[in-house]
């Protein structure tokens, strides 16, 4: 019997009792390699002593001070550090406690900015199908995952969705990347014109799509073109790097690789690396200045914003990433991971695509590689892969609904940045075994 209201109350979960490097140990002493960082969170593994000590030091000194009374040195220092590394123009940081809160803050900031700027008619948000921005009502409304939204549709704010930059499924045969990116930018422009250019507040996108479609990177030039469209109509660009940011792609901010700066950028997950619950919304100087010169305050706030102990953890995570040159490891191990998977799956009849950036990798499973037809969702292939992987002492993050929120299966792999070459080999070995076992258990073990 449990009194915890678990995510899936009918399932029986193992009890996690300890962490050791990239592994979690359960109450039976079984070890699981955490090859997904939970949900792309635990980027330093589960026992980083420096981060643990930093939390202890801060808790001993001052665990928490409410932000309507005080600021703290630790929050100031973390904000300075993030701003120094952030894409151009993002000069201020609003700290929250997680990803959905960071998105809620982003949406309200965008709206308040336009109200204070004298453009109160700007109220529409445009995002992309097959996206995920969180589970609170505002974030869920913006997100484009049909299955997650469906039961709550009558209570969601209005949001508009355009085609994602999902090359494996959306790029036409014979279409160049450049033409594909242009087509998507044209679609965004058409949507802005349809809604009325003066009524659109922001376009929201994950720089690299995470959970809903499985580490889908944009094609080159996509975000440059999107930025141009936003600029043309005075629409804010909000990038959600809650999963893809903070080093996951090999860059502290994923959009560095795309050569653009958004107006608002959200981070969480890897920011606190799972040692503390923390997220943040980075804001352009233009937005900040309008609000400071106008009402003088952001009409928002939660009890735990700028939590001192959470900031101490996040600051130490940042130091470890920099001092141990972990972004270099993310790039190298990411290349290794993708190349091992691509090699192994080169002729596999049921693996349609291996993609990603850095240690943020997606494997899409298909019933027919030529037609890209997905498996019957009733077979719940993604859940079977998850349990087969767990049996082999491996945590990965498989998900269904890859294609349209209902059909399709993919596996998200997001190991800690501290992974060694040998550990990546072990992950690939266990994963490929688990995938074969799962395929065979749903009757898809075609001869290769
Ligand atoms: N945005 C993205 C891209 C995410 O991946 C997530 C979580 O998976 C969220 C937002 C929501 O974050 P949280 O679960 O911390 O509220």
């Amino acid at each position: 019997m449990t009194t915890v209201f678990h995510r899936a109350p009918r399932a029986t979960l193992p009890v996690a009792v300890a962490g050791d490097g990239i592994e979690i140990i359960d109450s039976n002493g079984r070890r699981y390699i955490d090859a997904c960082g939970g949900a792309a969170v635990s980027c330093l593994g589960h026992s980083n002593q420096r981060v643990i000590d930093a939390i202890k030091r801060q808790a001993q000194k001052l665990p928490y001070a409410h932000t309507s009374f005080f600021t703290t040195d630790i929050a100031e220092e973390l904000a300075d550090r993030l701003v120094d590394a952030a894409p151009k123009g993002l000069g201020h940081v609003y700290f929250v406690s997680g990803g959905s809160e960071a998105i809620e803050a982003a949406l309200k900031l965008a709206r308040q900015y336009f109200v204070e700027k004298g453009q109160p008619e700007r109220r529409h948000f445009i995002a992309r199908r097959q996206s995920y921005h969180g589970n609170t009502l505002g974030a869920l409304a913006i997100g484009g995952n049909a299955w997650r939204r469906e039961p709550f549709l009558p209570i969601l704010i209005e949001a508009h969705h355009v085609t994602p930059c999902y090359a494996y499924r959306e790029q036409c045969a014979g279409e160049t990347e450049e033409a594909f990116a242009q087509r998507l930018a044209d679609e965004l422009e058409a949507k802005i014109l349809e809604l009325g250019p003066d009524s659109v507040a922001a376009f929201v996108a994950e720089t690299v799509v995470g959970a809903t479609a499985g580490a889908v990177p944009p094609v080159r030039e996509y975000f440059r073109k999107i930025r141009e469209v936003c600029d043309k109509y005075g629409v804010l660009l909000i990038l959600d790097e809650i999963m893809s940011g903070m080093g996951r792609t090999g860059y502290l901010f994923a959009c560095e690789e795309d050569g653009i700066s958004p107006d608002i950028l959200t981070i969480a997950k890897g920011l606190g690396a799972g040692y503390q619950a923390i997220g943040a919304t980075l804001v352009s100087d233009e937005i900040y200045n309008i609000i400071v010169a106008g009402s003088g305050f952001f009409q928002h706030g939660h009890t735990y914003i700028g939590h001192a102990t959470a900031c101490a953890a996040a600051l130490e995570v940042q130091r470890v990433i920099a001092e141990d040159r972990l972004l270099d490891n993310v790039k190298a191990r990411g290349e290794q991971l993708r190349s091992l998977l691509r090699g192994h799956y080169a002729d596999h009849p049921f693996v349609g695509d291996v993609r990603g950036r850095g240690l943020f990798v997606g494997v899409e499973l298909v019933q027919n590689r030529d037609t890209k037809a997905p498996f019957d969702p009733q077979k719940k292939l993604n859940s079977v892969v998850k349990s087969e992987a767990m049996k082999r002492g491996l945590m990965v993050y498989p998900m269904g609904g890859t294609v349209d929120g209902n059909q399709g299966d993919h596996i998200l792999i997001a190991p800690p940045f501290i992974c060694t070459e040998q550990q990546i080999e072990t992950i690939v070995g266990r994963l490929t075994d688990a995938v074969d076992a799962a395929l065979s258990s749903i009757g898809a073990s075609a001869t290769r």
Side-chain angles (χ1 to χ4, degrees):
M1 273 302 286
T2 175
T3 50
V4 176
F5 193 155
H6 290 288
R7 281 173 184 252
R10 279 189 269 166
T12 309
L13 293 167
V15 179
V17 294
D20 181 15
I22 69 163
E23 292 182 322
I24 289 185
I25 304 164
D26 75 13
S27 52
N28 294 317
R30 288 208 62 197
R31 287 177 170 262
Y32 305 82
I33 293 184
D34 185 359
C36 54
V41 173
S42 304
C43 58
L44 298 184
H46 297 278
S47 54
N48 189 289
Q49 202 53 49
R50 281 186 58 178
V51 182
I52 294 166
D53 289 342
I55 292 170
K56 282 191 197 162
R57 278 196 305 275
Q58 186 62 42
Q60 249 151 11
K61 205 155 73 174
L62 174 72
Y64 164 76
H66 195 280
T67 45
S68 70
F69 298 90
F70 295 103
T71 185
T72 55
D73 287 344
I74 203 84
E76 298 289 339
E77 198 179 336
L78 176 61
D80 287 351
R81 187 162 185 134
L82 291 171
V83 164
D84 280 350
K88 210 164 129 255
L90 294 175
H92 291 85
V93 186
Y94 189 86
F95 288 117
V96 291
S97 303
S100 300
E101 277 189 16
I103 289 288
E104 297 293 336
L107 301 178
K108 285 183 72 180
L109 256 175
R111 170 69 191 157
Q112 192 179 328
Y113 163 72
F114 283 121
V115 169
E116 302 221 3
K117 210 180 166 197
Q119 298 181 20
E121 62 286 357
R122 289 204 186 255
R123 63 192 180 282
H124 290 304
F125 288 92
I126 305 174
R128 305 186 298 181
R129 293 191 295 279
Q130 288 308 93
S131 57
Y132 181 60
H133 298 296
N135 261 332
T136 49
L137 290 175
L140 188 64
I142 300 307
N145 183 280
W147 173 80
R148 289 183 201 258
R149 289 163 49 90
E150 210 271 330
F152 305 101
L153 278 175
I155 57 169
L156 297 183
I157 56 164
E158 188 187 10
H160 307 271
H161 296 98
V162 292
T163 307
C165 190
Y166 179 6
Y168 176 64
R169 292 203 173 265
E170 301 289 351
Q171 190 175 356
C172 301
E175 188 178 40
T176 61
E177 282 195 353
E178 160 96 32
F180 176 45
Q182 190 59 52
R183 176 160 63 81
L184 297 180
D186 291 345
E187 185 186 335
L188 175 62
E189 182 165 17
K191 179 56 83 179
I192 292 171
L193 292 171
E194 178 198 319
L195 293 168
D198 297 339
S199 73
V200 180
F203 175 62
V204 188
E206 290 161 87
T207 309
V208 179
V209 179
T212 40
V216 179
V219 297
R220 210 168 293 284
E221 293 304 312
Y222 170 75
F223 274 116
R224 269 191 216 279
K225 291 179 189 292
I226 292 290
R227 179 74 268 186
E228 278 169 24
V229 172
C230 289
D231 287 345
K232 185 167 169 190
Y233 297 101
V235 169
L236 298 178
L237 175 60
I238 301 177
L239 287 185
D240 178 346
E241 300 202 352
I242 287 161
M243 212 179 231
S244 60
M246 294 296 96
R248 179 61 44 209
T249 62
Y251 294 82
L252 206 53
F253 293 90
C255 62
E256 271 177 61
E257 211 173 331
D258 302 281
I260 55 133
S261 277
D263 301 289
I264 299 178
L265 187 149
T266 55
I267 50 176
K269 298 191 186 267
L271 177 59
Y275 289 83
Q276 287 284 290
I278 183 166
T281 303
L282 281 81
V283 185
S284 73
D285 297 325
E286 153 78 8
I287 296 173
Y288 179 82
N289 290 337
I290 286 280
I291 289 177
V292 172
S295 68
F297 83 114
F298 176 28
Q299 203 169 324
H300 193 58
H302 301 284
T303 301
Y304 289 128
I305 63 175
H307 195 288
T309 311
C311 288
L315 182 61
E316 200 60 27
V317 170
Q318 290 305 304
R319 290 185 179 132
V320 172
I321 289 175
E323 287 164 31
D324 295 354
R325 304 188 60 81
L326 289 180
L327 298 186
D328 293 344
N329 198 50
V330 171
K331 289 183 186 121
R333 299 284 72 79
E335 285 292 331
Q336 181 201 358
L337 178 56
R338 271 188 302 283
S339 111
L340 284 177
L341 288 169
R342 284 187 180 135
H344 185 86
Y345 286 135
D347 303 314
H348 197 290
F350 301 124
V351 176
D353 196 25
V354 175
R355 55 185 172 240
R357 284 184 182 176
L359 279 174
F360 197 37
V361 174
V363 175
E364 185 163 341
L365 302 170
V366 288
Q367 211 227 312
N368 184 316
R369 197 163 146 148
D370 297 328
T371 64
K372 302 183 183 174
F375 282 99
D376 176 357
Q378 302 290 332
K379 291 188 189 284
K380 297 191 186 312
L381 175 59
N382 58 88
S383 317
V384 185
V385 170
K386 184 174 176 183
S387 60
E388 289 295 341
M390 283 293 273
K391 280 186 208 163
R392 289 163 177 77
L394 180 73
M395 292 163 60
V396 285
Y397 199 62
M399 196 66 91
T402 318
V403 181
D404 56 7
N406 174 39
Q407 301 190 81
D409 300 272
H410 68 263
I411 306 159
L412 187 70
I413 311 155
F417 303 171
I418 53 170
C419 264
T420 63
E421 194 172 344
Q422 154 95 71
Q423 286 168 331
I424 293 287
E425 283 168 17
T426 308
I427 289 168
V428 171
R430 290 187 195 179
L431 176 64
T432 50
D433 279 358
V435 169
D436 284 348
L439 287 166
S440 123
S441 97
I442 64 154
S445 50
T447 43
R448 295 198 241 157

